[in-house]
Amino acid sequence: MINWAYVFLLFILGFITYKRKSLDLFGSAVMIIMGVVIIFSAGVNWLGLIVLFLVMSLLATKYSKKYKRSLGQFEGRRTSKNVISNGVVACFMAAFGGYYLPFVGGFIGAIATATADTLASEIGVLDPHPRLITTLQKVDPGTNGAVSPLGTGVAILGAAIIGIAAYFLGIIDMPLSAILVSIVSGVVGCFMDSILGALFENQGYITNEHVNLLATIVGAIVGILLI
């Protein structure tokens, strides 16, 4: 009965994200489906970590919206492709995390990567002097594969917040391990996102959704190895 109450709240959250134009209709629907899977396979505390990522990403997206619009870098409403590419790995890890301990690290790593990458993209774009990760050449803000001190700093901060929350939500009972796994996997996954963006997305070989998916896979693998 309690789980169904959380499902009801999840539907409310989906409705809010749709009405506020944060997600489109299918994006909100996919978010709800993933949330239901996590609630009944891993528990509502695991879902709480994804909700935290969602809240931080939405706040980061809205931050300095006018300036981002002037740069042509305001993403606005996200779609089901964004939700799947950022969340499907974490959803898979949560589905089996209760049966195989390393998947707990994979779950944290995937969410830490998604969080770090989103904050680095949405706030890092405000740094006027980014450089391409592969050549260190100066590029325009918002260029795929660009990195900056501001972006890297908020990426580390976002990953650390995920690790701290994972501990307080009871997903992992070792605070230092939670923070270490989250920061390392999140930062590695975030840099992988930049490398893939510079080498392949800029050439049109893959899309941003492919990059996000591959980056969260890398983050999950690092989390599994560290747990």
Side-chain angles (χ1 to χ4, degrees):
M1 183 64 69
I2 294 177
N3 281 344
W4 286 108
Y6 287 120
V7 170
F8 178 71
L9 293 175
L10 187 60
F11 271 87
I12 293 176
L13 179 62
F15 178 76
I16 292 172
T17 56
Y18 171 70
K19 291 298 291 184
R20 292 184 61 84
K21 298 182 178 180
S22 299
L23 296 173
D24 66 9
L25 180 60
F26 289 110
S28 295
V30 171
M31 182 196 72
I32 292 171
I33 292 170
M34 287 185 175
V36 170
V37 171
I38 292 172
I39 287 174
F40 286 98
S41 61
V44 71
N45 53 337
W46 289 55
L47 178 65
L49 205 61
I50 289 187
V51 171
L52 177 60
F53 155 67
L54 176 65
V55 170
M56 286 196 291
S57 65
L58 294 180
L59 290 176
T61 299
K62 300 295 183 182
Y63 185 71
S64 294
K65 181 169 67 174
K66 290 183 179 180
Y67 179 66
K68 291 176 187 176
R69 285 190 187 278
S70 70
L71 295 175
Q73 296 297 326
F74 181 68
E75 187 168 351
R77 175 173 273 184
R78 287 178 164 83
T79 68
S80 58
K81 291 181 180 179
N82 299 118
V83 176
I84 292 171
S85 62
N86 280 293
V88 69
V89 176
C91 184
F92 178 85
M93 294 293 161
F96 297 97
Y99 307 99
Y100 186 55
L101 179 61
F103 279 5
V104 175
F107 177 74
I108 295 172
I111 297 180
T113 295
T115 302
D117 176 56
T118 300
L119 297 188
S121 298
E122 295 292 345
I123 298 179
V125 72
L126 304 179
D127 192 313
H129 304 295
R131 293 179 181 270
L132 198 66
I133 192 171
T134 51
T135 64
L136 298 183
Q137 177 184 358
K138 290 184 178 181
V139 291
D140 294 330
T143 300
N144 296 320
V147 295
S148 67
L150 176 60
T152 301
V154 294
I156 294 171
L157 176 62
I161 291 173
I162 291 298
I164 294 169
Y167 168 70
F168 281 107
L169 287 170
I171 297 172
I172 184 170
D173 59 3
M174 299 169 288
L176 293 181
S177 293
I179 296 173
L180 175 66
V181 169
S182 189
I183 290 178
V184 173
S185 58
V187 171
V188 170
C190 184
F191 280 143
M192 178 56 66
D193 185 285
S194 297
I195 292 170
L196 292 172
L199 294 178
F200 301 108
E201 188 180 357
N202 279 337
Q203 310 304 320
Y205 297 138
I206 58 178
T207 67
N208 181 252
E209 287 77 22
H210 295 139
V211 170
N212 289 340
L213 177 62
L214 292 170
T216 54
I217 290 174
V218 170
I221 291 173
V222 174
I224 289 172
L225 294 175
L226 290 175
I227 201 66

